[in-house]
Amino acid sequence: MGLNYDQIDDAVLLTQQEFIKKGAFVNMQTDLTDHVAVREMWKDRKKVFQGGHPWRFDVQVDHNHSARTVGLYENDGSSINDTMIKGEVTPRHVNAHYLYDVREPDFQRGGAAIVDLVKTRYTAMMVSLYELLETLLWNKPVDSSNTKDPYGVAFWVTRSDQEGFFGRNPAGFSDGRAGISTDSYPRWANYTARYAEISKEDLIRKMRRASRRIAFRSVVSHAEPVVGGMKNGIYTNDSVIGLVEEILEASNMNLGNDIASKDGRTLFKGTPIIYAPKLNEDSSDPVYMLDWKWMAIGVLAGWENSLTKPTQVAGKHTVRRVDLDATLNMICTDLRRQCVISK
């Protein structure tokens, strides 16, 4: 049985709400085999910020250099050093939508036909959103004049030919990351290295060295601006993980009859090395070693996945539009816990 025009919008609203509750989502519209940034960051690494924006955090970039050896009756030192600076991240906005015409045949059929139609349109909208987020979250805006694109991993974790804390300001961002310039504050930098071969003697050795050097522990207990839980993530592309799996197989004599027994099971210090298909587009074959305690996708409370009711499209009285909006940006509060090793 068909629906009256005044009943169709309510039916669409109820149907899409059920999709959200059940998490119904079928990905058949993309060339990517996995949306790792969406799954690892957008879905599992959110930090909800209340109230207005921008989002701010404090960084103490030095101690006060007051400690010294002293003699009897010596005059006290009295120098004052301001060691605190503020980081600031402004959230960005993304939108996706779908349309329908209340005169479409499926609305006249009613029942399952309406569910199938809404599911198709809703799924197409979600795939569009996830495709966009997968690109944005691995990359960076071209320069500071782009005030629409969110910051991605490549913005926060920059590369260098040198090994050590040489991840400096992203290209096109002279003011630095979160408004803090590495030129002015050299400790506000991520760890970097270059490798030539995917081998134990080159890439793996540099990963081991990096993991030791980014494991900072505060000598004084104090509150810290953490944005996530205690978990690390290692991400790379097909060229790298394929050879790393072969290194693992060559070191393990218990393969049995499975010639690819280590595929998808490669660990580094207990942390899975995750294949991110989007990184296949990066010819420098990066290996990102990220500490999610200090890095997350910030979202504005109430605007994580804001789905609107159907609204009439201007000038088309039988056409309805449903919008999905999110206010977000990637935030990192400690660059020294992050690393990228690339060719």
Side-chain angles (χ1 to χ4, degrees), residues 191-231:
Y191 193 91
T192 64
R194 293 284 187 189
Y195 70 93
E197 295 182 346
I198 302 171
S199 64
K200 286 185 176 181
E201 295 75 21
D202 193 358
L203 174 61
I204 304 303
R205 181 174 294 168
K206 287 171 180 173
M207 290 175 66
R208 285 172 165 165
R209 191 153 54 227
S211 70
R212 291 190 294 269
R213 295 185 179 181
I214 64 177
F216 287 93
R217 291 188 295 179
S218 178
V219 70
V220 178
S221 179
H222 58 86
E224 297 175 310
V226 298
V227 291
M230 296 287 290
K231 188 174 181 181

Side-chain angles (χ1 to χ4, degrees), residues 138-139 154 157-161 193-198 203 235-240 278-288 340-343:
W138 283 119
N139 291 289
V157 188
T158 60
R159 305 174 193 184
S160 171
D161 291 332
R194 293 284 187 189
Y195 70 93
E197 295 182 346
I198 302 171
L203 174 61
Y235 309 92
T236 191
N237 63 16
D238 186 59
S239 297
V240 175
K278 191 67 180 179
L279 294 180
N280 288 338
E281 301 172 6
D282 192 330
S283 60
S284 66
D285 295 340
V287 177
Y288 285 106
V340 61
I341 305 175
S342 57
K343 283 186 175 178

Side-chain angles (χ1 to χ4, degrees), residues 110-324:
I114 295 177
V115 173
D116 290 342
L117 175 64
V118 175
K119 180 177 180 180
T120 300
R121 304 286 169 84
Y122 176 84
T123 302
M125 175 185 69
M126 295 306 299
V127 171
S128 177
L129 175 67
Y130 290 161
E131 285 276 284
L132 176 65
L133 286 177
E134 189 72 14
T135 297
L136 293 173
L137 295 179
W138 283 119
N139 291 289
K140 62 177 278 297
V142 174
D143 54 41
S144 58
S145 67
N146 183 335
T147 58
K148 295 199 301 183
D149 289 357
Y151 304 143
V153 172
F155 171 84
W156 290 105
V157 188
T158 60
R159 305 174 193 184
S160 171
D161 291 332
Q162 296 176 276
E163 185 170 1
F165 292 95
F166 294 101
R168 306 182 70 81
N169 297 340
F173 291 84
S174 58
D175 290 338
R177 290 158 286 189
I180 305 172
S181 174
T182 307
D183 295 339
S184 301
Y185 303 98
R187 290 193 177 108
W188 184 244
N190 60 273
Y191 193 91
T192 64
R194 293 284 187 189
Y195 70 93
E197 295 182 346
I198 302 171
S199 64
K200 286 185 176 181
E201 295 75 21
D202 193 358
L203 174 61
I204 304 303
R205 181 174 294 168
K206 287 171 180 173
M207 290 175 66
R208 285 172 165 165
R209 191 153 54 227
S211 70
R212 291 190 294 269
R213 295 185 179 181
I214 64 177
F216 287 93
R217 291 188 295 179
S218 178
V219 70
V220 178
S221 179
H222 58 86
E224 297 175 310
V226 298
V227 291
M230 296 287 290
K231 188 174 181 181
N232 300 324
I234 302 175
Y235 309 92
T236 191
N237 63 16
D238 186 59
S239 297
V240 175
I241 199 166
L243 289 177
V244 170
E245 288 168 343
E246 291 179 15
I247 292 173
L248 179 60
E249 288 172 350
S251 303
N252 193 318
M253 302 302 294
N254 300 314
L255 298 179
N257 297 323
D258 189 348
I259 62 173
S261 63
K262 300 304 177 184
D263 287 15
R265 300 170 59 187
T266 305
L267 305 178
F268 177 82
K269 292 191 173 183
T271 298
I273 301 178
I274 296 174
Y275 166 47
K278 191 67 180 179
L279 294 180
N280 288 338
E281 301 172 6
D282 192 330
S283 60
S284 66
D285 295 340
V287 177
Y288 285 106
M289 303 170 68
L290 307 179
D291 187 338
W292 292 117
K293 184 178 179 181
W294 306 94
M295 186 180 240
I297 306 301
V299 295
L300 187 64
W303 289 94
E304 301 161 52
N305 276 305
S306 180
L307 195 64
T308 68
K309 298 178 180 179
T311 57
Q312 181 178 317
V313 174
K316 298 181 179 180
H317 69 280
T318 62
V319 178
R320 303 292 185 265
R321 173 174 169 139
V322 176
D323 282 273
L324 178 68

